[in-house]
Amino acid sequence: MKFIRVAECYSKLEELSGRLEMIDVLKRLFLEARPDEAEKIAYLTLGKIAPDYEGLELGLGEKLALRAISIASGVSDQIISKEYKKIGDIGKLAEWAVGKRPSLFGKEELTLDRVFNSLIKIAKATGSDSQDIKIRTFAGLLSDSEPIEARYIARIVMGRLRLGVQDMTLLDALAEAYLGSRERRSLLEEKYNIYPDIGRIARAVAEKKEKGLEEIDVTLGVPIRPMLAQRVKSADEVIERIPKMYAEHKYDGERMQIHIWRDGRVKLFSRRLEDITAPYPDVRDALKAFVGRDMILDAETVAVNPDTGEILPFQELMHRRRKYGVEEAMEQYPAVTYVFDVLYLDGKSLINLPLRERRRILEEIVPKEGNIREVIYKEIDGNLQELEAFFEEAVEKGMEGLVIKDPNSRYQAGTRGWNWIKLKRSYISKMIEPVDLVVVGAFMGRGKRAGTYGALLMAAYDPKEDKYKTVCKMGSGFTDEDLSRLPEIFKPYITEVRDPSVESKIEADVWFQPKIVLEVIGDEITLSPVHTCGFNSIRKGSGLAIRFPRFTGRWRDDKGPEDATTEDEIIQMYKSQLKEIKEEEKIKEEAA
Ligand code: AMP
């Protein structure tokens, strides 16, 4: 398949906003593709070249990308840089520059295969001459590109494709193309939840339709999408939903899916399916005791104080996810892993067994003590007092609350359903809930903060438009140490111009790619003309702002920008806060 066909399809997708139309365009592209091409299209359309868990990142630095565009087009570095500031979109810039290219030499038409293989080469280049290889390979592609091809290649290379196609839309298109109808997406989704490799799914179904899917099952080394919990506000509601329950401690740490091979290999995956084996060498070593069988466990890892055995707040663990200090963090705060599920054992998937059965198997393999141990839980049969007492006991021990599970339920990968319910402390005490916001920019500090940032520009996520919208400037809550390190931490994310996915009315001194998520607590949410979050949703010409925002100290390295609190959630919080204030006023009035 020629790459121009793919580029034209992407261009069409950009113009469309209706999901059904997008599905139709993609379906037609798939129908023209060979199975191995369907695999490549599936990855590329999501702006990827491999499943996330393989950790193969494209993200060519901005400087290198600009250099390559200059080489391929013959336009000077200075002019490229100036145009980039004006255009603000690397794709449009490449398109423009390639159009300026002298047409002295003949070009070779690009194929999908060549583009894909070159992208893999760019991602895999390592070692001292890797920069050179990356620039040359990218420039090579651009030299043979039509302008419209250059637009998409450049965006993919920079990790900024953003066609507005989510993985579920892609599954819809695959279902239409190869299974005859969108109604049958659930067949694909079920496989995708246990084997989240969109390329593999596309290839299988393109090759052998439904039969191809039968070959896909839970596999050691491939993370299963985690099952998630619904939330409720009170213990009563829990009893209504699941009268006969396992009530488990809710540890405030990092979700960890543990893959163990009988020969001793171990892989740890995060909630977002990233490979997080490297920051947890102590967990990996502790897992040696389990070697000899193949298994997949679902667990939560917390940091503990080695002197007191106390479970420490989540941010102590998150130090490990930063690039420095794994060794120190490990010594200072060793990790304990609480295992709450077993999903696979010796070649067999267990996810369709009822939890009661899985728990029985779990208790055979995981001890109740040590650094890898079984979760603490209680079987409760409809008794509210018993549930409340267990909840309070858990909170007293430093837990976030409880996760209540239906013993008869199977493991619903990738689903936030009512078979798992979380009952958290903050919902009960009516404390204002913190939010998780994305850092999109910064303001230079003055006086005591000269040389570092004085405040960060924070945004909520809008999944409908795939945009980040600002809600506050945040300058408090940082420790001196954090503060002095801010420029160093954010350096890799600096962009010369505002990322097209960031919507802001405020001019920051420095712009960042939306990547890092911080937990923020504020006093209240107010109307604000300067922030873009919830703009025009409550009042025309106003957005919403968080007043007195403070960093809670939690670097949410476990969350990606798309997992941040959404614009809609902020709007809901504003509305519910309004209701509460009104109720308070009513009570006051009645009393008077
Ligand atoms: P939340 O992050 O608030 O949506 O809560 C769900 C998370 O709680 C899960 O993703 C796990 O990381 C964590 N968790 C802690 N303890 C448990 C447990 N016993 N069962 C399931 N999840 C747990």
Side-chain angles (χ1 to χ4, degrees):
M1 178 183 277
K2 304 274 180 248
F3 187 69
I4 188 88
R5 175 71 187 90
V6 180
E8 278 165 0
C9 170
Y10 288 174
S11 161
K12 210 174 286 162
L13 287 173
E14 268 193 297
E15 286 162 22
L16 298 174
S17 55
R19 214 166 150 255
L20 293 182
E21 290 168 302
M22 292 173 115
I23 293 169
D24 193 54
V25 168
L26 284 165
K27 164 190 140 183
R28 276 188 268 146
L29 184 64
F30 278 125
L31 283 177
E32 289 168 35
R34 294 187 314 252
D36 65 304
E37 288 173 335
E39 177 178 3
K40 292 171 181 131
I41 293 170
Y43 291 132
L44 290 183
T45 307
L46 296 180
K48 298 176 185 172
I49 46 170
D52 289 342
Y53 58 84
E54 284 186 5
L56 191 63
E57 295 239 352
L58 260 170
L60 192 66
E62 211 169 44
K63 280 218 176 69
L64 298 190
L66 295 176
R67 189 79 261 282
I69 293 173
S70 163
I71 293 172
S73 63
V75 180
S76 75
D77 283 324
Q78 287 90 330
I79 295 182
I80 289 287
S81 172
K82 214 166 96 205
E83 276 302 309
Y84 183 41
K85 287 210 174 101
K86 211 157 66 191
I87 302 176
D89 167 359
I90 198 89
K92 291 260 168 71
L93 175 80
E95 184 173 5
W96 169 86
V98 160
K100 298 263 165 224
R101 183 182 47 197
S103 50
L104 284 179
F105 307 104
K107 330 189 244 81
E108 204 177 300
E109 242 183 323
L110 286 180
T111 59
L112 170 61
D113 283 346
R114 167 153 170 227
V115 172
F116 192 83
N117 294 337
S118 299
L119 293 172
I120 298 268
K121 191 166 162 196
I122 292 173
K124 285 197 170 158
T126 50
S128 56
D129 55 351
S130 66
Q131 291 211 342
D132 205 39
I133 296 174
K134 285 174 201 270
I135 294 181
R136 265 194 289 121
T137 312
F138 180 32
L141 281 179
L142 291 177
S143 303
D144 285 332
S145 292
E146 292 299 326
I148 192 165
E149 294 176 311
R151 185 200 297 174
Y152 296 106
I153 293 173
R155 284 189 191 156
I156 294 173
V157 162
M158 294 281 294
R160 294 187 193 161
L161 181 64
R162 297 187 175 273
L163 291 173
V165 177
Q166 311 292 345
D167 40 9
M168 289 304 146
T169 311
L170 210 54
L171 292 182
D172 273 331
L174 288 169
E176 286 218 345
Y178 303 117
L179 299 177
S181 137
R182 224 166 1 108
E183 321 275 88
R184 311 189 68 198
R185 181 184 90 184
S186 57
L187 288 179
L188 296 168
E189 205 178 329
E190 206 180 297
K191 293 297 175 182
Y192 187 59
N193 282 333
I194 57 168
Y195 200 115
D197 177 344
I198 197 89
R200 166 80 202 272
I201 304 259
R203 186 179 192 139
V205 78
E207 226 158 39
K208 297 197 209 152
K209 309 230 159 26
E210 268 162 282
K211 276 240 158 317
L213 294 177
E214 283 167 21
E215 292 162 14
I216 297 177
D217 202 352
V218 173
T219 303
L220 214 48
V222 177
I224 299 167
R225 296 180 74 208
M227 180 163 173
L228 300 167
Q230 283 282 1
R231 52 165 82 170
V232 294
K233 285 205 172 65
S234 70
D236 291 315
E237 222 184 314
V238 170
I239 302 254
E240 260 169 50
R241 299 238 175 219
I242 309 180
K244 268 179 190 267
M245 67 184 91
Y246 287 152
E248 300 180 1
H249 276 186
K250 184 174 194 306
Y251 302 87
D252 187 10
E254 169 144 44
R255 181 83 174 255
M256 210 172 258
Q257 196 178 100
I258 301 169
H259 291 230
I260 306 171
W261 282 259
R262 63 182 69 211
D263 66 7
R265 269 177 305 149
V266 167
K267 258 192 188 175
L268 309 174
F269 293 104
S270 74
R271 173 181 132 139
R272 300 178 60 222
L273 315 182
E274 305 146 308
D275 186 331
I276 47 164
T277 320
Y280 291 102
D282 45 348
V283 176
R284 201 188 46 209
D285 286 347
L287 286 167
K288 292 272 185 280
F290 292 77
V291 168
R293 304 184 80 170
D294 292 329
M295 62 178 93
I296 302 178
L297 306 172
D298 200 354
E300 183 90 356
T301 292
V302 293
V304 294
N305 179 332
D307 303 325
T308 63
E310 248 179 327
I311 293 185
L312 294 167
F314 171 84
Q315 63 263 32
E316 300 304 347
L317 201 62
M318 281 297 116
H319 283 316
R320 296 174 176 231
R321 295 285 290 273
R322 316 221 62 78
K323 290 228 162 57
Y324 48 85
V326 172
E327 288 290 320
E328 289 110 285
M330 215 170 75
E331 256 168 48
Q332 227 175 340
Y333 306 118
V336 173
T337 301
Y338 287 91
V339 183
F340 51 77
D341 222 321
V342 52
L343 312 180
Y344 174 95
L345 189 65
D346 296 337
K348 266 212 223 72
S349 163
L350 307 180
I351 59 173
N352 289 322
L353 293 181
L355 174 60
R356 193 182 297 286
E357 280 293 303
R358 302 201 304 276
R359 175 66 33 104
R360 199 183 48 73
I361 298 169
L362 182 71
E363 292 190 340
E364 277 171 22
I365 45 186
V366 179
K368 296 209 181 293
E369 305 218 314
N371 284 352
I372 311 284
R373 62 171 92 160
E374 195 193 343
V375 66
I376 293 177
Y377 75 102
K378 189 166 189 185
E379 274 196 82
I380 295 177
D381 190 355
N383 186 328
L384 182 65
Q385 282 79 22
E386 209 180 334
L387 176 61
E388 280 175 342
F390 191 57
F391 175 80
E392 278 161 27
E393 198 185 297
V395 169
E396 205 183 81
K397 286 196 181 129
M399 302 302 140
E400 232 185 336
L402 298 174
V403 184
I404 288 71
K405 300 181 181 175
D406 182 346
N408 295 318
S409 62
R410 58 184 206 96
Y411 190 89
Q412 291 170 292
T415 308
R416 192 183 288 286
W418 287 104
N419 289 326
W420 283 17
I421 301 177
K422 58 191 175 191
L423 184 61
K424 286 215 257 184
R425 207 171 24 189
S426 51
Y427 303 139
I428 285 195
S429 63
K430 285 226 175 84
M431 194 188 82
I432 164 164
E433 253 186 89
V435 287
D436 297 317
L437 301 176
V438 186
V439 185
V440 295
F443 304 88
M444 297 314 296
R446 293 194 207 103
K448 247 176 58 187
R449 294 199 182 175
T452 179
Y453 298 137
L456 301 177
L457 184 59
M458 310 298 296
Y461 178 56
D462 170 10
K464 291 189 294 287
E465 293 183 44
D466 194 17
K467 287 261 152 67
Y468 298 91
K469 303 186 174 175
T470 71
V471 274
C472 62
K473 267 169 138 182
M474 177 174 76
S476 354
F478 295 98
T479 60
D480 289 345
E481 196 193 348
D482 269 347
L483 206 59
S484 62
R485 269 210 295 253
L486 288 178
E488 177 195 328
I489 292 171
F490 283 98
K491 194 162 166 219
Y493 309 110
I494 292 180
T495 55
E496 281 198 32
V497 294
R498 173 158 57 81
D499 191 283
S501 67
V502 173
E503 269 189 14
S504 175
K505 288 174 172 294
I506 300 173
E507 265 307 307
D509 294 333
V510 192
W511 292 109
F512 304 128
Q513 258 176 290
K515 277 267 152 70
I516 300 287
V517 180
L518 303 183
E519 191 181 71
V520 178
I521 188 135
D523 282 0
E524 56 187 25
I525 300 172
T526 58
L527 288 169
S528 150
V530 300
H531 286 288
T532 51
C533 175
F535 208 77
N536 288 340
S537 68
I538 305 283
R539 186 187 296 163
K540 218 164 176 284
S542 283
L544 295 172
I546 295 179
R547 240 159 72 97
F548 304 124
R550 300 178 292 281
F551 178 38
T552 63
R554 291 174 141 211
W555 294 85
R556 296 299 308 246
D557 292 277
D558 59 325
K559 287 204 169 179
E562 280 135 347
D563 303 315
T565 301
T566 62
E567 175 179 42
D568 273 345
E569 283 175 303
I570 303 267
I571 296 172
Q572 284 315 319
M573 284 167 102
Y574 176 81
K575 287 184 178 161
S576 67
Q577 166 192 299
L578 215 59
K579 210 166 68 205
E580 269 175 34
I581 293 173
K582 275 198 195 128
E583 271 162 15
E584 254 176 46
E585 279 170 359
K586 213 166 97 198
I587 293 167
K588 273 190 212 145
E589 269 169 27
E590 277 169 7

